[in-house]
Amino acid sequence: MTGDDLLKAVNERMARLRLRQDDVAAACGCTQGHLSKVLKRKVKLAQKTEAALRGWLERTDGDGGTSDAREVKELVDRLVQGPVERRMRIMQLLRILDGMAR
């Protein structure tokens, strides 16, 4: 897959999954601004960014995004590493959302 094909595939996947650039940028370890420039071909696609975007495409499926279990595990890992106050706020929000989903 060429660089242009890769960028086209990323744009298509983002549109299909209704993802924002900042979601994909965070998953790829770059900023939203940089990803925007790459996707608009305003800057050259660097090897590191190309590898990250290819990895993101491989980790996502065509129908529902990233594997739910893997995504939840990654989120929980980041949550546990964060400050206690932040964890408490997020847990409170999760309880509220859980109650709404029932």
Side-chain angles (χ1 to χ4, degrees):
M1 177 184 301
T2 68
D4 282 339
D5 292 336
L6 173 66
L7 297 180
K8 182 179 177 183
V10 168
N11 278 312
E12 288 173 355
R13 183 75 51 88
M14 287 174 57
R16 185 170 53 250
L17 299 177
R18 296 183 180 143
L19 295 174
R20 300 177 312 193
Q21 288 180 353
D22 59 338
D23 297 324
V24 177
C28 293
C30 66
T31 65
Q32 177 275 327
H34 180 69
L35 180 62
S36 175
K37 291 174 187 173
V38 168
L39 294 176
K40 291 179 182 179
R41 295 162 178 82
K42 290 185 177 184
V43 297
K44 183 180 176 184
L45 179 61
Q47 288 181 341
K48 182 178 176 182
T49 306
E50 180 178 354
L53 290 172
R54 286 183 192 280
W56 177 76
L57 282 175
E58 291 172 5
R59 290 188 309 270
T60 60
D61 60 44
D63 298 324
T66 57
S67 163
D68 290 341
R70 181 178 37 232
E71 186 173 9
V72 168
K73 183 183 180 326
E74 291 171 0
L75 290 170
V76 169
D77 289 345
R78 286 196 304 266
L79 175 64
V80 168
Q81 294 173 5
V84 173
E85 184 177 308
R86 181 173 176 238
R87 285 195 312 256
M88 291 173 62
R89 287 182 187 163
I90 292 172
M91 290 302 296
Q92 192 173 28
L93 287 171
L94 288 172
R95 287 185 192 103
I96 292 167
L97 290 172
D98 183 51
M100 292 171 60
R102 292 178 184 204

